[in-house]
Amino acid sequence: LLETPDGRLWAGTQSQGVLRLTFPTGWKGGSSATPPTVERFGTAQGLPDLNDNSVFELEGKPQFATHQGLLRFVDASGRFVPDPRVARLFPEGPRWVSAPTKDARGWLWLHSKDEVRGGEETGAAVPDPDGSYHWEPRPLRAFAGAGINAIHADEDDRVGCRVEHG
């Protein structure tokens, strides 16, 4: 989940695309309140897949981790598009990215999987002076046969992961 400065709430889902909730002015909840407006976004709006989409904040704006890399949402068109700031991360082609977590330095830690050629890699999207990011593989040792499904960055620059046992 991610709340934006305008009070909207974005939600990534495991199998239903992405949701955006817009709350009425002065909304406090409860049974007599007007409910929030719920918008559902899927492949028709540019998501590559309805499955495994997550949302996080990057430089004050929502960013979406998907099966085709990192996307941003363009309000004017109502579509998800590749974010040019992270276009150089995987020059060999898009990867499924998951578990995005920013650390205190502004590095964006990700787990990535090349679904075409195979292989998984964890690392960080590191900011460059021009506002773009480059990829630095930084292995987080998972248990054999386990996939990384969450990354946590402490204030002291320690990074750890939670694994899923298969």
Side-chain angles (χ1 to χ4, degrees):
L1 295 174
L2 175 71
E3 183 179 5
T4 57
D6 64 3
R8 289 178 166 171
L9 186 65
W10 286 94
T13 71
Q14 193 132 25
S15 61
Q16 300 295 313
V18 171
L19 307 174
R20 180 171 65 179
L21 288 80
T22 303
F23 297 89
T25 303
W27 189 80
K28 294 187 187 333
S31 60
S32 63
T34 302
T37 302
V38 179
E39 297 170 271
R40 296 179 184 275
F41 300 96
T43 55
Q45 291 79 32
L47 287 176
D49 196 304
L50 294 179
N51 299 320
D52 307 313
N53 295 293
S54 60
V55 60
F56 63 100
E57 179 270 326
L58 182 64
E59 298 175 9
K61 300 202 185 274
Q63 188 86 10
F64 302 88
T66 74
H67 278 268
Q68 292 291 308
L70 299 173
L71 304 178
R72 63 186 174 96
F73 184 75
V74 179
D75 270 314
S77 66
R79 295 194 52 81
F80 293 87
V81 299
D83 189 325
R85 297 173 298 175
V86 293
R88 298 185 315 176
L89 289 184
F90 309 114
E92 68 284 352
R95 294 184 190 175
W96 173 21
V97 294
S98 60
T101 302
K102 271 194 323 189
D103 69 15
R105 298 172 290 190
W107 289 24
L108 181 63
W109 290 87
L110 303 165
H111 183 68
S112 70
K113 182 175 186 175
D114 187 327
E115 295 181 294
V116 174
R117 291 174 287 286
E120 297 184 38
E121 186 175 60
T122 303
V126 179
D128 290 324
D130 67 358
S132 66
Y133 289 77
H134 70 273
W135 181 248
E136 285 196 19
R138 300 284 176 124
L140 297 177
R141 305 283 181 230
F143 299 107
I148 294 174
N149 63 15
I151 300 172
H152 177 75
D154 289 333
E155 294 80 27
D156 60 1
D157 291 334
R158 291 185 194 183
V159 177
C161 62
R162 183 176 73 213
V163 297
E164 176 182 298
H165 299 282

Coordinates of all heavy atoms in Angstrom, one line a residue, residues 37-127:
T37 N -13.9 5.9 -3.8 CA -14.0 5.4 -5.2 C -12.9 4.5 -5.4 O -11.7 4.8 -5.0 CB -13.9 6.6 -6.2 OG1 -14.9 7.5 -5.9 CG2 -14.0 6.1 -7.6
V38 N -13.1 3.3 -5.9 CA -12.1 2.3 -6.2 C -12.0 2.1 -7.7 O -12.9 1.8 -8.4 CB -12.5 0.9 -5.6 CG1 -11.4 -0.1 -5.9 CG2 -12.7 1.1 -4.1
E39 N -10.7 2.4 -8.2 CA -10.4 2.2 -9.6 C -9.5 0.9 -9.7 O -8.6 0.8 -8.9 CB -9.6 3.4 -10.1 CG -10.4 4.7 -10.1 CD -9.6 5.8 -10.5 OE1 -9.0 6.4 -9.5 OE2 -9.5 6.2 -11.7
R40 N -9.8 0.1 -10.6 CA -9.0 -1.1 -10.9 C -8.3 -0.9 -12.2 O -8.8 -0.6 -13.2 CB -9.9 -2.3 -11.0 CG -10.7 -2.6 -9.7 CD -11.6 -3.9 -9.8 NE -12.3 -4.0 -8.6 CZ -11.9 -4.7 -7.6 NH1 -10.7 -5.3 -7.6 NH2 -12.6 -4.8 -6.5
F41 N -7.0 -1.3 -12.1 CA -6.1 -1.1 -13.3 C -5.5 -2.5 -13.7 O -5.1 -3.2 -12.8 CB -5.0 -0.1 -13.1 CG -5.4 1.2 -12.7 CD1 -5.5 1.6 -11.4 CD2 -5.8 2.1 -13.7 CE1 -6.0 2.9 -11.1 CE2 -6.2 3.4 -13.4 CZ -6.3 3.8 -12.1
G42 N -5.5 -2.8 -15.0 CA -5.0 -4.1 -15.4 C -4.2 -3.9 -16.7 O -3.7 -2.9 -17.0
T43 N -4.3 -5.0 -17.5 CA -3.5 -5.0 -18.7 C -4.0 -4.0 -19.7 O -3.2 -3.5 -20.5 CB -3.5 -6.4 -19.4 OG1 -4.9 -6.8 -19.5 CG2 -2.8 -7.4 -18.5
A44 N -5.3 -3.6 -19.7 CA -5.8 -2.6 -20.6 C -5.2 -1.3 -20.4 O -5.2 -0.4 -21.2 CB -7.3 -2.6 -20.5
Q45 N -4.7 -1.1 -19.1 CA -4.0 0.2 -18.8 C -2.5 0.1 -18.8 O -1.8 1.0 -18.3 CB -4.5 0.7 -17.4 CG -6.0 1.1 -17.3 CD -6.9 -0.1 -17.3 OE1 -6.6 -1.2 -16.7 NE2 -8.1 0.0 -17.9
G46 N -2.0 -0.9 -19.3 CA -0.5 -1.0 -19.5 C 0.2 -1.9 -18.6 O 1.4 -2.1 -18.7
L47 N -0.5 -2.5 -17.6 CA 0.2 -3.5 -16.7 C 0.5 -4.8 -17.6 O -0.3 -5.2 -18.3 CB -0.6 -3.9 -15.5 CG -0.8 -2.9 -14.4 CD1 -1.8 -3.4 -13.3 CD2 0.6 -2.5 -13.8
P48 N 1.7 -5.3 -17.4 CA 2.0 -6.5 -18.2 C 1.3 -7.8 -17.8 O 1.1 -8.7 -18.6 CB 3.5 -6.7 -18.0 CG 3.8 -6.0 -16.8 CD 2.8 -4.9 -16.7
D49 N 0.8 -7.8 -16.6 CA 0.1 -8.9 -16.0 C -0.7 -8.5 -14.8 O -0.4 -7.5 -14.2 CB 1.3 -9.9 -15.5 CG 0.8 -11.3 -15.2 OD1 -0.1 -11.5 -14.4 OD2 1.4 -12.2 -15.8
L50 N -1.7 -9.2 -14.5 CA -2.5 -8.9 -13.3 C -1.9 -9.4 -12.0 O -2.2 -9.0 -10.9 CB -3.9 -9.5 -13.4 CG -4.8 -9.0 -14.5 CD1 -6.2 -9.7 -14.4 CD2 -5.0 -7.5 -14.3
N51 N -0.9 -10.3 -12.1 CA -0.3 -11.0 -11.0 C 1.0 -10.2 -10.5 O 1.8 -9.7 -11.2 CB 0.1 -12.4 -11.3 CG -1.1 -13.2 -11.7 OD1 -2.2 -13.1 -11.1 ND2 -1.0 -14.0 -12.7
D52 N 1.1 -10.3 -9.1 CA 2.4 -9.9 -8.5 C 2.8 -8.5 -8.8 O 4.0 -8.2 -9.0 CB 3.5 -10.8 -8.9 CG 3.2 -12.3 -8.7 OD1 2.7 -12.6 -7.6 OD2 3.4 -13.1 -9.7
N53 N 1.9 -7.5 -8.7 CA 2.2 -6.1 -8.8 C 2.3 -5.5 -7.4 O 1.4 -5.7 -6.6 CB 1.1 -5.4 -9.6 CG 1.0 -5.9 -11.0 OD1 1.9 -5.7 -11.8 ND2 -0.1 -6.6 -11.4
S54 N 3.3 -4.7 -7.2 CA 3.5 -4.0 -5.9 C 3.7 -2.5 -6.1 O 4.2 -2.2 -7.2 CB 4.6 -4.7 -5.0 OG 5.8 -4.6 -5.7
V55 N 3.4 -1.7 -5.1 CA 3.6 -0.3 -5.3 C 4.5 0.2 -4.2 O 4.6 -0.4 -3.1 CB 2.2 0.4 -5.2 CG1 1.5 0.1 -3.8 CG2 2.3 1.9 -5.4
F56 N 5.3 1.2 -4.5 CA 6.2 1.8 -3.5 C 6.5 3.2 -4.0 O 6.1 3.7 -5.0 CB 7.5 1.0 -3.4 CG 8.3 1.0 -4.7 CD1 9.4 1.8 -4.9 CD2 8.0 0.1 -5.7 CE1 10.1 1.8 -6.1 CE2 8.7 0.1 -6.9 CZ 9.8 1.0 -7.1
E57 N 7.1 4.0 -3.1 CA 7.4 5.4 -3.4 C 8.8 5.6 -4.0 O 9.8 5.0 -3.4 CB 7.2 6.2 -2.2 CG 7.5 7.7 -2.3 CD 8.9 8.1 -2.1 OE1 9.5 7.5 -1.2 OE2 9.4 9.0 -2.7
L58 N 9.0 6.3 -5.0 CA 10.3 6.6 -5.6 C 10.3 8.1 -5.9 O 9.5 8.6 -6.7 CB 10.6 5.8 -6.8 CG 12.0 6.1 -7.4 CD1 13.1 5.6 -6.5 CD2 12.1 5.3 -8.8
E59 N 11.1 8.9 -5.2 CA 11.2 10.3 -5.4 C 9.9 11.0 -5.3 O 9.5 11.9 -6.1 CB 12.0 10.6 -6.7 CG 13.4 10.0 -6.7 CD 14.1 10.2 -8.0 OE1 13.6 10.9 -8.9 OE2 15.2 9.6 -8.1
G60 N 9.0 10.6 -4.3 CA 7.8 11.3 -4.0 C 6.6 10.8 -4.9 O 5.5 11.4 -4.8
K61 N 6.8 9.9 -5.8 CA 5.7 9.4 -6.6 C 5.6 7.9 -6.6 O 6.5 7.2 -6.3 CB 6.0 9.8 -8.1 CG 6.1 11.4 -8.2 CD 5.9 11.8 -9.6 CE 6.1 13.2 -9.8 NZ 5.1 14.1 -9.5
P62 N 4.3 7.4 -6.9 CA 4.1 6.0 -6.9 C 4.9 5.3 -8.0 O 5.0 5.9 -9.1 CB 2.6 5.8 -7.1 CG 2.0 7.1 -6.9 CD 3.1 8.1 -7.1
Q63 N 5.5 4.2 -7.7 CA 6.2 3.4 -8.7 C 5.7 2.0 -8.5 O 5.3 1.6 -7.4 CB 7.7 3.5 -8.4 CG 8.6 2.8 -9.4 CD 8.9 3.8 -10.6 OE1 8.6 5.0 -10.5 NE2 9.5 3.3 -11.6
F64 N 5.7 1.2 -9.6 CA 5.1 -0.1 -9.6 C 6.1 -1.2 -10.0 O 6.6 -1.1 -11.1 CB 3.8 -0.1 -10.4 CG 2.8 0.9 -10.0 CD1 2.9 2.2 -10.5 CD2 1.9 0.6 -9.0 CE1 2.0 3.2 -10.0 CE2 1.0 1.6 -8.6 CZ 1.1 2.9 -9.0
A65 N 6.3 -2.2 -9.2 CA 7.1 -3.4 -9.5 C 6.2 -4.4 -10.2 O 5.2 -4.8 -9.6 CB 7.8 -3.9 -8.3
T66 N 6.6 -4.8 -11.4 CA 5.8 -5.7 -12.2 C 6.6 -6.8 -12.8 O 7.8 -6.9 -12.7 CB 5.1 -5.0 -13.3 OG1 6.0 -4.7 -14.4 CG2 4.4 -3.7 -12.8
H67 N 6.0 -7.7 -13.6 CA 6.7 -8.8 -14.3 C 7.5 -8.2 -15.5 O 8.3 -8.9 -16.1 CB 5.7 -9.8 -14.9 CG 5.3 -10.8 -13.9 ND1 5.9 -12.0 -13.7 CD2 4.3 -10.8 -12.9 CE1 5.4 -12.7 -12.7 NE2 4.4 -12.0 -12.2
Q68 N 7.4 -6.9 -15.8 CA 8.2 -6.3 -16.9 C 9.0 -5.1 -16.4 O 9.2 -4.2 -17.1 CB 7.3 -5.8 -18.0 CG 6.6 -7.0 -18.8 CD 7.6 -7.8 -19.6 OE1 8.4 -7.2 -20.4 NE2 7.6 -9.1 -19.4
G69 N 9.4 -5.2 -15.1 CA 10.2 -4.1 -14.5 C 9.4 -3.1 -13.8 O 8.3 -3.3 -13.3
L70 N 10.0 -1.9 -13.7 CA 9.4 -0.8 -12.9 C 8.6 0.1 -13.8 O 9.2 0.5 -14.9 CB 10.5 0.0 -12.2 CG 11.3 -0.8 -11.2 CD1 12.5 0.0 -10.7 CD2 10.4 -1.3 -10.0
L71 N 7.4 0.4 -13.4 CA 6.5 1.3 -14.2 C 6.1 2.4 -13.4 O 6.1 2.4 -12.2 CB 5.3 0.5 -14.7 CG 5.5 -0.8 -15.5 CD1 4.2 -1.4 -15.9 CD2 6.3 -0.5 -16.8
R72 N 5.7 3.5 -14.1 CA 5.0 4.6 -13.4 C 3.7 4.8 -14.0 O 3.4 4.3 -15.1 CB 5.9 5.9 -13.5 CG 6.1 6.4 -14.9 CD 7.0 7.6 -14.9 NE 7.3 8.0 -16.3 CZ 6.7 9.0 -16.9 NH1 5.8 9.7 -16.3 NH2 7.0 9.3 -18.2
F73 N 2.8 5.5 -13.3 CA 1.4 5.8 -13.8 C 1.3 7.2 -14.3 O 1.8 8.1 -13.6 CB 0.4 5.5 -12.7 CG -1.0 5.7 -13.2 CD1 -1.6 4.7 -13.9 CD2 -1.7 6.8 -12.8 CE1 -2.9 4.8 -14.4 CE2 -3.1 6.9 -13.3 CZ -3.6 5.9 -14.0
V74 N 0.8 7.4 -15.5 CA 0.6 8.7 -16.1 C -0.9 9.1 -15.9 O -1.7 8.5 -16.6 CB 1.1 8.8 -17.5 CG1 0.8 10.2 -18.1 CG2 2.5 8.4 -17.7
D75 N -1.2 10.0 -15.1 CA -2.6 10.4 -14.8 C -3.3 10.8 -16.1 O -4.5 10.5 -16.3 CB -2.7 11.5 -13.8 CG -2.8 11.0 -12.4 OD1 -3.6 10.0 -12.2 OD2 -2.1 11.5 -11.5
A76 N -2.6 11.6 -16.9 CA -3.3 12.2 -18.1 C -3.8 11.1 -19.1 O -4.8 11.3 -19.7 CB -2.3 13.1 -18.8
S77 N -3.0 10.0 -19.2 CA -3.5 9.0 -20.1 C -4.1 7.8 -19.4 O -4.7 7.0 -20.0 CB -2.2 8.4 -20.9 OG -1.3 7.8 -20.0
G78 N -4.0 7.7 -18.1 CA -4.5 6.6 -17.3 C -3.8 5.3 -17.6 O -4.4 4.3 -17.5
R79 N -2.5 5.4 -17.9 CA -1.7 4.2 -18.3 C -0.4 4.1 -17.5 O 0.1 5.1 -17.1 CB -1.4 4.3 -19.8 CG -2.6 4.2 -20.7 CD -2.4 3.9 -22.1 NE -1.5 2.8 -22.4 CZ -1.9 1.5 -22.4 NH1 -3.2 1.2 -22.1 NH2 -1.1 0.5 -22.7
F80 N 0.0 2.8 -17.4 CA 1.3 2.5 -16.8 C 2.3 2.5 -17.9 O 2.0 1.9 -19.0 CB 1.2 1.2 -16.1 CG 0.4 1.2 -14.9 CD1 -1.0 0.9 -15.0 CD2 0.9 1.5 -13.6 CE1 -1.8 0.9 -13.9 CE2 0.1 1.5 -12.5 CZ -1.3 1.2 -12.6
V81 N 3.4 3.1 -17.7 CA 4.5 3.2 -18.8 C 5.8 2.9 -18.1 O 6.0 3.1 -16.9 CB 4.5 4.5 -19.5 CG1 3.2 4.8 -20.2 CG2 4.8 5.7 -18.5
P82 N 6.8 2.5 -18.9 CA 8.2 2.3 -18.3 C 8.7 3.7 -17.8 O 8.5 4.7 -18.4 CB 9.0 1.8 -19.5 CG 8.0 1.2 -20.4 CD 6.7 2.0 -20.2
D83 N 9.4 3.6 -16.7 CA 9.9 4.8 -16.1 C 11.3 5.0 -16.7 O 12.2 4.2 -16.6 CB 10.0 4.7 -14.6 CG 10.4 6.0 -14.0 OD1 11.2 6.8 -14.5 OD2 9.9 6.3 -12.9
P84 N 11.6 6.1 -17.5 CA 12.9 6.3 -18.1 C 14.0 6.4 -17.1 O 15.2 6.2 -17.5 CB 12.7 7.6 -18.9 CG 11.5 8.3 -18.3 CD 10.6 7.2 -17.7
R85 N 13.8 6.8 -15.9 CA 14.9 6.9 -14.9 C 15.5 5.5 -14.6 O 16.7 5.4 -14.2 CB 14.3 7.5 -13.6 CG 13.8 8.9 -13.7 CD 13.2 9.4 -12.5 NE 12.0 8.5 -12.2 CZ 11.3 8.6 -11.1 NH1 11.6 9.5 -10.2 NH2 10.2 7.8 -10.9
V86 N 14.7 4.4 -14.8 CA 15.2 3.1 -14.5 C 15.4 2.2 -15.7 O 15.6 1.0 -15.7 CB 14.4 2.4 -13.4 CG1 14.4 3.1 -12.1 CG2 12.9 2.3 -13.9
A87 N 15.3 2.9 -16.9 CA 15.4 2.1 -18.2 C 16.7 1.4 -18.4 O 16.7 0.4 -19.1 CB 15.1 3.1 -19.3
R88 N 17.8 1.9 -17.8 CA 19.1 1.2 -18.0 C 19.4 0.1 -17.0 O 20.4 -0.6 -17.1 CB 20.2 2.2 -17.8 CG 20.2 3.4 -18.7 CD 21.4 4.3 -18.5 NE 21.7 4.5 -17.1 CZ 22.7 5.2 -16.6 NH1 23.6 5.7 -17.4 NH2 22.8 5.4 -15.3
L89 N 18.5 -0.2 -16.1 CA 18.7 -1.3 -15.1 C 19.1 -2.6 -15.8 O 20.0 -3.3 -15.3 CB 17.6 -1.4 -14.2 CG 17.3 -0.3 -13.2 CD1 16.2 -0.7 -12.2 CD2 18.6 0.0 -12.4
F90 N 18.3 -3.0 -16.7 CA 18.5 -4.4 -17.3 C 18.5 -4.3 -18.8 O 17.5 -4.5 -19.5 CB 17.3 -5.3 -16.8 CG 17.1 -5.3 -15.3 CD1 16.0 -4.8 -14.8 CD2 18.1 -5.8 -14.5 CE1 15.8 -4.8 -13.4 CE2 17.9 -5.8 -13.1 CZ 16.8 -5.3 -12.6
P91 N 19.7 -3.9 -19.4 CA 19.7 -3.7 -20.8 C 19.4 -4.9 -21.7 O 19.0 -4.8 -22.8 CB 21.2 -3.2 -21.1 CG 21.9 -3.5 -19.8 CD 20.9 -3.7 -18.7
E92 N 19.6 -6.1 -21.1 CA 19.3 -7.3 -21.9 C 17.8 -7.6 -22.0 O 17.4 -8.5 -22.7 CB 20.0 -8.5 -21.3 CG 19.4 -9.0 -19.9 CD 19.9 -8.1 -18.7 OE1 20.7 -7.2 -18.9 OE2 19.3 -8.3 -17.6
G93 N 17.0 -6.8 -21.3 CA 15.5 -7.0 -21.4 C 14.9 -6.9 -20.1 O 15.5 -7.0 -19.0
P94 N 13.6 -6.6 -20.0 CA 12.9 -6.4 -18.8 C 12.9 -7.7 -17.9 O 13.0 -8.8 -18.4 CB 11.4 -6.1 -19.1 CG 11.3 -6.2 -20.6 CD 12.7 -6.5 -21.2
R95 N 12.9 -7.4 -16.6 CA 12.8 -8.5 -15.6 C 11.7 -8.3 -14.7 O 11.2 -7.2 -14.5 CB 14.1 -8.5 -14.7 CG 15.4 -8.9 -15.5 CD 16.5 -8.9 -14.5 NE 17.8 -9.0 -15.1 CZ 19.0 -9.0 -14.5 NH1 19.0 -8.9 -13.2 NH2 20.1 -9.1 -15.2
W96 N 11.2 -9.4 -14.1 CA 10.2 -9.3 -13.1 C 10.9 -8.8 -11.9 O 11.9 -9.4 -11.4 CB 9.6 -10.7 -12.8 CG 8.6 -10.8 -11.7 CD1 8.0 -9.7 -11.0 CD2 8.3 -11.9 -11.0 NE1 7.2 -10.2 -10.0 CE2 7.4 -11.6 -9.9 CE3 8.6 -13.3 -11.1 CZ2 6.8 -12.5 -9.1 CZ3 8.0 -14.2 -10.2 CH2 7.1 -13.8 -9.2
V97 N 10.5 -7.7 -11.3 CA 11.1 -7.2 -10.1 C 10.1 -7.2 -8.9 O 8.9 -7.1 -9.1 CB 11.6 -5.7 -10.3 CG1 12.8 -5.7 -11.3 CG2 10.5 -4.8 -10.7
S98 N 10.6 -7.5 -7.8 CA 9.8 -7.6 -6.6 C 10.6 -7.1 -5.4 O 11.8 -6.9 -5.4 CB 9.3 -9.0 -6.4 OG 10.4 -9.9 -6.2
A99 N 9.9 -7.0 -4.3 CA 10.4 -6.6 -3.0 C 11.2 -5.3 -3.0 O 12.2 -5.2 -2.3 CB 11.3 -7.8 -2.4
P100 N 10.6 -4.2 -3.6 CA 11.4 -3.0 -3.7 C 11.4 -2.3 -2.3 O 10.4 -2.2 -1.6 CB 10.5 -2.1 -4.6 CG 9.2 -2.7 -4.6 CD 9.4 -4.2 -4.3
T101 N 12.6 -1.9 -1.9 CA 12.9 -1.2 -0.6 C 14.0 -0.2 -0.8 O 15.1 -0.5 -1.3 CB 13.3 -2.3 0.5 OG1 12.3 -3.3 0.6 CG2 13.5 -1.6 1.8
K102 N 13.7 1.0 -0.3 CA 14.7 2.1 -0.4 C 15.5 2.1 0.9 O 15.0 1.9 2.0 CB 14.1 3.5 -0.6 CG 13.9 3.8 -2.0 CD 13.6 5.3 -2.2 CE 12.7 5.9 -1.1 NZ 12.2 7.2 -1.4
D103 N 16.8 2.3 0.8 CA 17.6 2.5 2.0 C 17.9 4.0 2.3 O 17.5 4.8 1.5 CB 18.9 1.6 2.0 CG 19.9 2.1 1.0 OD1 19.8 3.3 0.4 OD2 20.9 1.3 0.7
A104 N 18.6 4.3 3.3 CA 18.9 5.7 3.7 C 19.7 6.4 2.7 O 19.6 7.7 2.6 CB 19.6 5.7 5.1
R105 N 20.5 5.7 1.8 CA 21.3 6.4 0.8 C 20.5 6.7 -0.4 O 21.0 7.4 -1.4 CB 22.5 5.5 0.4 CG 23.4 5.2 1.5 CD 24.4 4.2 1.1 NE 23.7 2.9 0.9 CZ 24.3 1.8 0.7 NH1 25.6 1.7 0.6 NH2 23.6 0.6 0.7
G106 N 19.2 6.2 -0.5 CA 18.5 6.4 -1.7 C 18.6 5.2 -2.7 O 18.1 5.3 -3.8
W107 N 19.3 4.2 -2.3 CA 19.4 3.0 -3.2 C 18.1 2.2 -3.1 O 17.5 2.1 -2.0 CB 20.5 2.1 -2.7 CG 21.9 2.6 -2.9 CD1 22.3 3.9 -3.0 CD2 23.1 1.8 -3.0 NE1 23.7 3.9 -3.2 CE2 24.2 2.6 -3.2 CE3 23.3 0.4 -2.9 CZ2 25.5 2.2 -3.3 CZ3 24.6 -0.1 -3.0 CH2 25.7 0.8 -3.2
L108 N 17.7 1.7 -4.2 CA 16.4 0.9 -4.3 C 16.8 -0.5 -4.5 O 17.3 -1.0 -5.5 CB 15.6 1.4 -5.5 CG 14.3 0.7 -5.7 CD1 13.4 0.9 -4.5 CD2 13.6 1.2 -7.0
W109 N 16.6 -1.3 -3.4 CA 16.9 -2.7 -3.4 C 15.8 -3.5 -4.0 O 14.6 -3.2 -3.8 CB 17.1 -3.2 -2.0 CG 18.4 -2.7 -1.4 CD1 18.6 -1.5 -0.8 CD2 19.7 -3.3 -1.5 NE1 19.9 -1.3 -0.4 CE2 20.6 -2.4 -0.8 CE3 20.1 -4.5 -2.0 CZ2 21.9 -2.7 -0.7 CZ3 21.5 -4.8 -1.9 CH2 22.4 -3.9 -1.2
L110 N 16.1 -4.4 -4.9 CA 15.1 -5.2 -5.7 C 15.6 -6.7 -5.8 O 16.8 -6.9 -5.8 CB 15.0 -4.7 -7.1 CG 14.6 -3.3 -7.3 CD1 14.8 -2.9 -8.8 CD2 13.1 -3.1 -7.0
H111 N 14.6 -7.5 -5.9 CA 14.9 -8.9 -6.3 C 14.4 -9.0 -7.7 O 13.3 -8.5 -8.1 CB 14.2 -9.9 -5.4 CG 14.5 -11.3 -5.8 ND1 15.8 -11.9 -5.6 CD2 13.8 -12.3 -6.4 CE1 15.8 -13.1 -6.1 NE2 14.6 -13.4 -6.5
S112 N 15.2 -9.6 -8.7 CA 14.8 -9.6 -10.1 C 14.9 -11.0 -10.6 O 15.7 -11.8 -10.1 CB 15.7 -8.7 -10.9 OG 17.0 -9.2 -11.0
K113 N 14.0 -11.3 -11.5 CA 14.0 -12.6 -12.2 C 13.9 -12.4 -13.7 O 12.9 -11.7 -14.1 CB 12.9 -13.4 -11.6 CG 12.8 -14.8 -12.2 CD 11.7 -15.6 -11.5 CE 11.7 -17.1 -11.9 NZ 10.8 -17.9 -11.2
D114 N 14.8 -13.0 -14.4 CA 14.7 -13.0 -15.9 C 13.8 -14.2 -16.3 O 14.2 -15.3 -16.3 CB 16.1 -13.1 -16.5 CG 16.1 -12.9 -18.0 OD1 15.1 -13.3 -18.7 OD2 17.1 -12.4 -18.5
E115 N 12.5 -13.9 -16.6 CA 11.6 -14.9 -16.9 C 11.8 -15.5 -18.3 O 11.2 -16.6 -18.6 CB 10.2 -14.4 -16.8 CG 9.9 -14.1 -15.3 CD 8.5 -13.6 -15.1 OE1 8.1 -12.5 -15.6 OE2 7.7 -14.3 -14.4
V116 N 12.6 -14.9 -19.2 CA 12.8 -15.4 -20.5 C 14.1 -16.3 -20.5 O 14.0 -17.4 -21.0 CB 13.0 -14.2 -21.5 CG1 13.4 -14.8 -22.9 CG2 11.7 -13.4 -21.6
R117 N 15.2 -15.8 -20.0 CA 16.4 -16.5 -20.0 C 16.7 -17.3 -18.8 O 17.6 -18.1 -18.7 CB 17.6 -15.6 -20.3 CG 17.6 -15.0 -21.7 CD 18.6 -14.0 -22.0 NE 18.3 -12.7 -21.3 CZ 17.4 -11.8 -21.8 NH1 16.7 -12.1 -22.8 NH2 17.2 -10.7 -21.1
G118 N 15.9 -17.1 -17.7 CA 16.1 -17.7 -16.5 C 17.1 -17.0 -15.6 O 17.8 -16.1 -16.1
G119 N 17.1 -17.3 -14.4 CA 18.1 -16.7 -13.5 C 17.4 -15.6 -12.6 O 16.5 -14.9 -13.1
E120 N 17.9 -15.5 -11.4 CA 17.4 -14.5 -10.4 C 18.6 -13.8 -9.9 O 19.7 -14.3 -9.8 CB 16.7 -15.2 -9.3 CG 15.4 -15.9 -9.7 CD 14.6 -16.5 -8.6 OE1 14.6 -15.8 -7.5 OE2 14.1 -17.6 -8.7
E121 N 18.4 -12.5 -9.5 CA 19.5 -11.7 -9.0 C 18.9 -10.6 -8.1 O 17.8 -10.0 -8.4 CB 20.2 -11.0 -10.2 CG 21.4 -10.2 -9.8 CD 22.0 -9.7 -11.1 OE1 21.4 -9.0 -11.9 OE2 23.2 -10.1 -11.3
T122 N 19.5 -10.4 -7.0 CA 19.2 -9.3 -6.1 C 20.2 -8.3 -6.1 O 21.4 -8.6 -6.3 CB 19.1 -9.9 -4.6 OG1 18.1 -10.9 -4.6 CG2 18.6 -8.8 -3.7
G123 N 19.8 -7.0 -6.0 CA 20.8 -5.9 -6.1 C 20.1 -4.6 -5.8 O 19.0 -4.6 -5.3
A124 N 20.8 -3.5 -6.2 CA 20.3 -2.2 -5.9 C 20.3 -1.4 -7.2 O 21.2 -1.4 -7.9 CB 21.1 -1.5 -4.8
A125 N 19.2 -0.6 -7.4 CA 19.2 0.5 -8.4 C 19.8 1.7 -7.7 O 19.2 2.2 -6.7 CB 17.8 0.7 -8.8
V126 N 20.9 2.1 -8.1 CA 21.7 3.2 -7.5 C 21.5 4.5 -8.3 O 21.7 4.5 -9.5 CB 23.2 2.8 -7.4 CG1 24.0 3.9 -6.8 CG2 23.4 1.4 -6.7
P127 N 21.2 5.6 -7.6 CA 20.9 6.8 -8.3 C 22.2 7.4 -8.9 O 23.3 7.3 -8.3 CB 20.4 7.8 -7.2 CG 20.5 7.1 -5.9 CD 20.9 5.7 -6.2

